[in-house]
Amino acid sequence: MTCVAILGGSGRLGSRIVANLIRQKMQVRALVHSHGLAAAESDYTAVYGDAHDPSAIRALLTGADAVISTLGSAGAQIADVTSAAVRNLIPEMTALEITRIVSVTGSAVRDDIEVGREHPHMAERRAAPMQHIPGLVLDGEGHLRLLRQSTLNWTVIRLPRMTSDPARPATLRVDPPVPAETISYEAGAEAIVEELIYARWVRKAPFASEA
């Protein structure tokens, strides 16, 4: 793996992932709207466009051999950005023979295979988001459903609320953490890049929590 395409690379989590990848001597191609990440490294390329546009996705993936998406619909003008991006990514990745993608979503997101047998913490984690921001949760679930239906080597990491506190290590696990648990952006970025490289959770949707 030498070149990673990232969606959401200018956000608080995505910018940390970009820095992590560059430290590991990887080339990074990031999809951005109107301005590039403030990075002087020659290993970083900004690709201007929108995740809803298949041609922008095609341009982003040129030369890449893996994908990370940290997109989310929180604050987005259109509440389907996560699922729309994946809907465009799947055929373009397939055409270019790129098989590996790590995507992130919130810890309130439920996998279809969990319906009817959810962990007790899941009901607590879903209660408030489904009342106040249901579109965000449903978009995350839609993108997970699309990836599960694809032939890609995907991993969807379900993240709890993230903070800028000093980094504490994070780990990936089957069960959701207790509802009040948080992790830092730094720890989340580290866990995401590690999973991209080592692929321990292929075609699974683990939860991130404190190690």
Side-chain angles (χ1 to χ4, degrees):
M1 188 180 306
T2 59
C3 182
V4 178
I6 181 167
L7 297 90
S10 58
R12 284 174 288 186
L13 176 61
S15 60
R16 288 168 169 84
I17 292 171
V18 169
N20 188 306
L21 292 168
I22 290 174
R23 284 198 302 271
Q24 300 197 47
K25 310 302 182 185
M26 294 188 193
Q27 298 283 329
V28 176
R29 296 177 60 81
L31 186 68
V32 297
H33 280 101
S34 59
H35 61 279
L37 202 65
E41 291 87 350
S42 59
D43 293 335
Y44 173 85
T45 301
V47 179
Y48 296 92
D50 189 288
H52 290 87
D53 179 3
S55 65
I57 296 294
R58 191 176 310 119
L60 172 71
L61 296 179
T62 302
D65 46 28
V67 178
I68 292 175
S69 176
T70 67
L71 290 176
S73 292
Q77 291 183 341
I78 305 176
D80 70 342
V81 65
T82 309
S83 53
V86 166
R87 193 174 289 111
N88 288 330
L89 278 165
I90 290 171
E92 297 297 340
M93 289 179 65
T94 302
L96 293 170
E97 300 184 341
I98 303 170
T99 60
R100 184 68 173 130
I101 178 172
V102 175
S103 183
V104 305
T105 192
S107 60
V109 164
R110 182 175 60 186
D111 194 342
D112 286 348
I113 65 174
E114 297 166 349
V115 175
R117 52 191 183 92
E118 297 93 339
H119 189 279
H121 290 163
M122 177 55 79
E124 294 181 68
R125 284 195 166 273
R126 284 176 67 80
M130 285 303 290
Q131 181 178 359
H132 300 291
I133 48 171
L136 182 64
V137 178
L138 295 176
D139 185 34
E141 291 178 348
H143 108 283
L144 174 51
R145 187 174 301 117
L146 289 167
L147 286 170
R148 186 168 286 287
Q149 293 167 353
S150 77
T151 60
L152 300 177
N153 293 329
W154 57 269
T155 303
V156 173
I157 298 177
R158 290 182 273 186
L159 298 168
R161 188 172 66 85
M162 307 191 77
T163 73
S164 299
D165 294 339
R168 301 182 299 275
T171 188
L172 302 183
R173 50 187 277 184
V174 172
D175 296 328
V178 296
E181 184 171 313
T182 63
I183 63 171
S184 71
Y185 288 106
E186 290 290 350
E190 186 72 28
I192 290 161
V193 172
E194 184 174 305
E195 173 55 28
L196 179 76
I197 295 170
Y198 295 106
R200 299 187 179 103
W201 295 83
V202 174
R203 299 191 65 81
K204 297 179 181 178
F207 293 89
S209 66
E210 288 187 15

